[in-house]
Amino acid sequence: MNEVLDIVSFVLRLSTPVMALIIITVCFFSLRHGRREKRALIALDDPDRNVRYPVLYWENSIGRSRGSDIRISDPTVSRDHAVLLRRDDGWFIADTGSKAGVLVNGEKTEGRHPVYVGDNISLGTTVLTLRRADDPTDANDRRRTTPPKVHKTVPIGVILFLLTIYMSIISAEAMINMGSLDILPHAVIFVCALWILPLISRFIFQRKNFELEALALFLCGSGIILNAVHDQRQAFIQLISTILGYCVFCFMLWFIEIPDKVMKWRITIYILTIGLLGSTLVLGSALNGAKNWIVLGPVMVQPSEFAKLAYIFVGAATLDQLQTKKNLFGFIIVTGLCVMLLFLMSDFGTALIFFVTFLLIAFMRSGDFKTVIFAVTAAVLGLMLILSIKPYIADRFQAWGHVWEYADSTGYQQVNSFVYSASGGLFGVGLSKGYLQNLFASENDLVFGLVSEEMGLIMALLFAIIIGGFMIYARAVSTRSRSTFYSISACAAAGLLVFQAMLNIFGVTDILPLTGVTLPFLSYGGSSMLSCWGLLAFIKAADERTYSNRKLKAGKITSYAPQTDETDDHDFDEDDYEDDEEYVEI
Amino acid sequence: MRNVEKRSVMVFLLTLAFFAGLIYHTVNLVMHSAQWVSAPYNAHISDSEGLEYAGKIYDRNGVVLAQTIDKERVYSDDEELRRACLHVVGDDSTNIATAVQTVYRSELTEYNFVFGLGLPESMKQGNDIKLTIDSEMQRAALEALGYNKGAIVFYNYKTGEIVCMVSTPTYDPENIPEDIETNDEYDGAYLNRVLSSAYTPGSTFKLITASAALNELDDAETRSYYCTGEDEVGGREITCFEPNGEVDLREALAQSCNVFFAQLALDIGGDKMTKYAEKAGFNSTLKIDGIETAESVYDVSGASDNDLAWSGVGQYTVLETPINMAVISAAIANGGTPVMPYFIESIGGSKKNSTTLGDRMMDKDTADKLYEMMDHTVEVNYGKYYFSSKYDVCAKTGTAEIGDGVAHAWVTGFCKDEDCPLAFAVIVEGGNSGYGVAIPAATKVLDAAPTF
């Protein structure tokens, strides 16, 4: 009997990666297929030069500089002259500190000014006329012969069904291995949540797509079972955190729905970020060497996790604001303060995460390599200064690169992780059968090793690939988002998740020093779970489809695409305005 | 917005770095997994149940030295044989770092990276390992060493097969003594002294000094000296065991005249002595079946003239492993180039080793002269029949002073016989006489040797 169960467990283990691969493939392909085709719905005509500029994005920079979305070769036009942007209530033009100013129908404008089809917009000596892209006065257009292609996304039901099968496989395997039903409640509650959460998403928030959440839930579910086989109480906390995390996700989506509204909260968020970290330094208690916990009654929270969320807000901005206010002064100050506070808490991993996120945002905002090089130099000098004052900090990382020599001391976790990853092979020794679980902090710092040992290297890599996939996805939607606010925040959030995963995975595999940060969605830790879901909301919000259904219901617009006031009966072939840029597609 | 997308290439690069790191880790893991998995603290295999599915270990004649019956690791029925083979076979734990059950544990348990250690029990099946060791010689060697600490190694200098490798103190892997960590009697019991201990070689080192002299000194074979038992060399006294009278190189080796060899070393000089010692395997380690041995040491940098003189007779700070000593004898028997020793015949039915030559230790001419001199040594000093009634042995003894009147007893050499081409090294710690203790031990083992 035991032998039969053993074989069953083995077969389940072999099928786990297959199922995981199916889920990941389905989700990423569905994400890719569900995207709208790129086409312009309005255009700017320059009758003097007989040029038509298609308006492709929700926010379009107009100017003389090479990187402008609409580039006008006119010396009287400033390099970054204006931004043409789409909001719920129509199109606006915003002067972004140009020399010659922006005139609409001959009237000088200030700030955002609404524009309508037929309006003449003067930038220097250039006069552009706003047209619908299907304006019949354009002699060059060709009528579309085929209706616009809309790829079908995979129905939510299918994805949920696949996830349910996956959860059943790993739970069944775990229960066979453990010889008990201890983890059954966790599995059942999770699967129930799995079916209820998208229903909320669908019917209360009118969200159609579910792929991103499904992938995150896939990671969470795996993490919960991985935890449950060793510590059922911890796994319950993990389960509750996942559900709360989903709530945070929904709240965040609601909060950042209108980027202009969020921009008004900026100062509050600046203060909140610093406040979160500052209060930790004052009120916090130390655990495992880093003083980054605050005890609130029975609950322990890690405010630095929430500071990550707030920090993204600090960095992101809409395009007209980016062009108006180009210096990064405030952002640099907030970053410097955050990193300093984290250093004082000895939370070096998070400090590094903030710094890398800073680099990403700073570069996306300014496109300036000098800023990046300057920041890195400053950081290196700062680090050397700190190390010369407190040389013992370096001792924590002495094992890096030669962990086998420190196998009994600071390299202990890495060496064990190697040994047990090797024991796991491609398919693992089986859930609950591992030994790495006995090590200190195995369920957060060493979770990659734990997965490698119990579920095998393939699953460990698939988990990592999902996190990397978030990043590729965030980049792919960055020009289709409704504002640079979303593009920047999505890339920054995804970059943060990826970098955090790097620190965690490479820390334990001795590619980087071990800094003790969590692996997004998989590691045990409530605060971390909530913040990861919050970060995911930034990525989700960058996809213009996220908010489209709600608007559909409200009857404001009828398509994802930027368009004018009426419904469009017929579109033009996208080839006419085919952009020459390349997309990273997933 | 296009700008922002273009600039997000930074984030894309970060992701590429992430994936590159993952690939690096995967390659690293696949390449090292067999080594990592056999780490002594891997609880999957170093539990007492770690060898539940391990294969059998046989000696050269098919005698089972260890096997798993109903998930229990059991060793030979004969306690003497269990003790004799302990350092080759190992025990359930991985305390003996150079034993087969430690080093080849993943092969025994048939580890592969695809399934790791994750195969279900009914599908687990270990590999059998066949050794080149001969049980009878093992038994004889353990008996010869008796209660002394020491090491014996015999190997076939034509093929490389180690037929006997015994180290004492030893213990019974079926009944591991409870006081093993505290009792002095078991001091170093986890060490295979053949591979992992380096001793003062004493007079056995004269073979190296002779090899250097034959190459570097024109008068090496012509000079003669009248030994009165002591003389001043390099500013201080060098003493012999007894006055040897008129000696040349050949007789000096046969009589083991310290003064003669001390003067040779001084005349050759430290640099050249080091050169010939290093050619003979000093200051480096050997790899025996992937197991790195301890290092034999010859270091006369900063030595005084008298120190250099003493180093020429294997004293001063000179250290040598028994296995390297045997390899030097094998080189002499083979015309200067040794066949490298190994002790694993096959794993899982596939042959593990083939005969491989090591680096040349001395030129053919020198080797042949030493061959003849060792033959002569046995002839005139030890007596051929004192050595072995069955085989014609060439050898050199050593009595290595280690202070406080204690000396290690050494003998190294080889059989001339075609049907028993064995090279050997024997050391008995504190044996005090190479002639009186080490030779009888070697003889006892040799008499148990199989024919080839």
Side-chain angles (χ1 to χ4, degrees), chain B residues 180-191:
Chain B
I180 187 158
E181 306 282 353
T182 50
N183 192 339
D184 278 350
E185 197 186 311
Y186 295 113
D187 187 24
Y190 294 141
L191 277 184

Side-chain angles (χ1 to χ4, degrees), chain B residues 90-416:
Chain B
D91 61 7
D92 287 355
S93 77
T94 49
N95 287 334
I96 301 169
T98 55
V100 170
Q101 288 194 162
T102 305
V103 181
Y104 290 90
R105 191 165 279 226
S106 57
E107 282 80 358
L108 269 177
T109 51
E110 214 203 347
Y111 171 83
N112 66 59
F113 183 69
V114 174
F115 294 111
L117 301 173
L119 277 175
E121 295 192 352
S122 52
M123 289 164 79
K124 280 181 183 168
Q125 194 191 5
N127 280 313
D128 292 345
I129 292 186
K130 187 168 187 187
L131 306 175
T132 60
I133 298 293
D134 184 283
S135 309
E136 290 313 310
M137 287 181 83
Q138 292 290 98
R139 242 192 277 260
L142 183 66
E143 200 181 320
L145 285 168
Y147 290 105
N148 293 308
K149 292 177 182 170
I152 295 182
V153 58
F154 275 72
Y155 89 97
N156 185 322
Y157 59 77
K158 298 272 187 217
T159 63
E161 299 158 278
I162 296 178
V163 288
C164 175
M165 180 157 65
V166 173
S167 171
T168 53
T170 182
Y171 58 88
D172 180 1
E174 298 272 23
N175 299 296
I176 298 173
E178 280 170 15
D179 57 349
I180 187 158
E181 306 282 353
T182 50
N183 192 339
D184 278 350
E185 197 186 311
Y186 295 113
D187 187 24
Y190 294 141
L191 277 184
N192 181 351
R193 286 164 151 74
V194 172
L195 304 176
S196 307
S197 294
Y199 297 96
T200 304
S203 300
T204 53
F205 189 77
K206 285 172 184 160
L207 295 168
I208 308 301
T209 310
S211 149
L214 286 168
N215 283 280
E216 297 293 335
L217 300 177
D218 295 335
D219 66 342
E221 288 173 277
T222 52
R223 69 162 71 176
S224 73
Y225 168 72
Y226 189 85
C227 173
T228 58
E230 58 179 49
D231 206 339
E232 194 174 282
V233 184
R236 281 172 66 192
E237 201 88 317
I238 297 279
T239 51
C240 281
F241 193 62
E242 53 189 16
N244 295 310
E246 183 81 28
V247 289
D248 62 359
L249 181 66
R250 189 161 177 257
E251 288 307 316
L253 189 79
Q255 307 299 331
S256 207
C257 177
N258 285 347
V259 180
F260 188 91
F261 278 92
Q263 188 62 49
L264 283 182
L266 198 61
D267 295 348
I268 294 162
D271 289 348
K272 292 205 168 116
M273 279 299 290
T274 306
K275 179 183 148 197
Y276 286 90
E278 286 183 353
K279 274 176 81 169
F282 283 81
N283 299 340
S284 58
T285 60
L286 293 173
K287 275 234 156 128
I288 310 288
D289 281 304
I291 301 160
E292 192 154 26
T293 68
E295 196 177 74
S296 301
V297 181
Y298 184 82
D299 181 9
V300 289
S301 56
S304 70
D305 282 356
N306 186 256
D307 289 340
L308 177 60
W310 275 116
S311 80
V313 297
Q315 295 290 152
Y316 182 49
T317 57
V318 185
L319 290 174
E320 166 134 55
T321 57
I323 188 71
N324 194 53
M325 189 96 254
V327 172
I328 291 171
S329 284
I332 294 169
N334 261 352
T337 309
V339 169
M340 297 313 288
Y342 64 87
F343 63 97
I344 294 179
E345 173 73 38
S346 62
I347 297 179
S350 59
K351 201 158 161 47
K352 171 78 169 37
N353 283 293
S354 54
T355 301
T356 44
L357 292 178
D359 293 333
R360 178 168 278 280
M361 288 182 156
M362 55 197 76
D363 59 58
K364 173 114 181 43
D365 200 36
T366 309
D368 289 347
K369 282 175 185 159
L370 289 173
Y371 189 109
E372 193 279 324
M373 283 156 69
M374 285 169 83
D375 193 26
H376 178 70
T377 302
V378 177
E379 185 96 46
V380 302
N381 194 344
Y382 317 141
K384 285 278 178 189
Y385 284 95
Y386 176 60
F387 230 109
S388 167
S389 53
K390 282 162 79 180
Y391 303 110
D392 189 356
V393 180
C394 306
K396 177 77 194 89
T397 57
T399 304
E401 305 283 346
I402 54 162
D404 298 334
V406 180
H408 293 329
W410 274 99
V411 65
T412 182
F414 51 89
C415 301
K416 288 161 79 173

